[in-house]
């Protein structure tokens, strides 16, 4: 992931867990919802389904196991799971903060006293 790229994900609140997939853009998801003949490869970024251990969309992301997918979606086939998340989940966009610099350099050892 590049430093200041926007990050778009789809969050699905399940019965027992929260699931997240990363997508190219909110616009790509809208287009897919209008026309499901658009290939999923043009919508989804990396074919991984993550879960957050009931920490909403801000939790630590772990790869969802086949058992978790079976329990929530009735299948562990990633294509079916991704479709369900795209159809029923909430699209969320945010700026990636991986390369954020010092926010307040007037405090601490970086300032000469």
């Amino acid at each position: 992931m590049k430093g200041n790229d926007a990050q778009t994900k789809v969050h699905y609140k399940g019965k027992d867990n929260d699931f997240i997939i990363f997508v190219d853009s909110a616009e790509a998801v809208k287009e897919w919802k209008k026309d499901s003949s658009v290939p999923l490869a043009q919508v989804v970024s990396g074919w991984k389904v993550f879960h957050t251990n009931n920490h909403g969309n801000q939790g630590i992301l772990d790869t969802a196991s086949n058992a978790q997918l079976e329990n929530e979606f009735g299948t562990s086939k990633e294509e079916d799971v991704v479709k369900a998340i795209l159809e029923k989940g909430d699209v969320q966009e945010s700026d990636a903060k991986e390369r954020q610099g010092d926010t307040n350099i007037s405090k601490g050892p970086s300032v000469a006293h």
Side-chain angles (χ1 to χ4, degrees), residues 40-96:
L40 284 174
Q42 293 180 6
V43 179
V44 179
S45 294
W47 282 86
K48 282 214 180 253
V49 177
F50 298 96
H51 72 97
T52 64
N53 292 312
N54 292 323
H55 289 104
N57 63 356
Q58 301 297 321
I60 295 172
L61 301 179
D62 292 321
T63 302
S65 70
N66 285 345
Q68 289 169 320
L69 298 178
E70 288 278 350
N71 288 340
E72 184 65 40
F73 301 99
T75 181
S76 60
K77 187 177 173 189
E78 282 188 341
E79 185 174 345
D80 294 339
V81 171
V82 166
K83 284 180 181 178
I85 293 172
L86 287 173
E87 289 168 358
K88 300 174 187 169
D90 298 319
V91 177
Q92 299 169 344
E93 294 180 284
S94 64
D95 290 333

